[in-house]
Amino acid sequence: MKATGIVRRIDDLGRVVIPKEIRRTMRIREGDPLEIFTSADGEVVFRKYSAMGELENAEQAAEVIAKLGGAPAVIFDRDHVVAAAGSHKREFRERRISAALEELLENRDSFRSAGGRSLKPIEGVNNSALAVTPIISSGDVAGAVAFVSDEDGREADENHVMLTRAAAMFLGKQIES
């Protein structure tokens, strides 16, 4: 942990304001759940909560759809890669989502590469998305399922789209239960 030098007081209702710059840097939006941890030496730590990170089935879902779709599969929460399978699995781990994918999720949109359309879903990685479907759980976007291309110019087929939809629906139901 690193100190920011920012000090905030707790108000009479027990609230603390997280400064805008920290919210922006850490991608904390209004309504985001935060998990609270305490330590024996008096530390209180806030961490963004990710229901996707709690899922045990995400890794298996990525493996299954990667085999069926013949392309690397990636499962995201709202901020980073949660699970990956396929040829670039290690390269994708724990990376943040791109601003383009973040905007896609904000708008609850799906994506399919066709006709020259492209989307780079992972920060610092050049692989383009073939198909992306948001994971909806209890009416909220919890993340996304995507196939990424391991070759330039490859376009999504109907199989990629259907597999991302099926996996997104499955994972959304898993979060709800």
Side-chain angles (χ1 to χ4, degrees), residues 4 6 18-28:
T4 63
I6 300 169
I18 300 171
K20 187 175 187 175
E21 185 55 39
I22 291 175
R23 291 192 319 262
R24 186 176 336 161
T25 306
M26 301 306 295
R27 294 182 174 180
I28 298 171

Side-chain angles (χ1 to χ4, degrees), residues 88-145:
H88 298 287
K89 177 178 172 174
R90 286 189 180 95
E91 185 182 350
F92 299 154
R93 290 251 188 236
E94 296 299 318
R95 291 208 181 240
R96 294 187 96 162
I97 68 171
S98 67
L101 179 56
E102 189 173 4
E103 183 178 334
L104 192 80
L105 295 179
E106 278 299 315
N107 296 326
R108 298 172 171 251
D109 287 337
S110 294
F111 173 83
R112 178 181 181 173
S113 64
R117 288 182 63 206
S118 70
L119 172 84
K120 306 273 189 213
I122 307 167
E123 274 187 5
V125 176
N126 282 331
N127 300 66
S128 294
L130 293 173
V132 180
T133 301
I135 299 168
I136 308 292
S137 175
S138 301
D140 294 324
V141 176
V145 177

Side-chain angles (χ1 to χ4, degrees), residues 52-74:
M52 291 296 300
E54 304 273 318
L55 280 182
E56 296 171 9
N57 300 352
E59 197 70 43
Q60 288 120 345
E63 291 286 340
V64 168
I65 67 169
K67 285 180 182 167
L68 292 172
V74 184

Side-chain angles (χ1 to χ4, degrees), residues 7-12 14-17:
V7 176
R8 293 286 193 234
R9 295 203 181 276
I10 297 175
D11 72 8
D12 58 337
R15 297 176 296 195
V16 176
V17 174

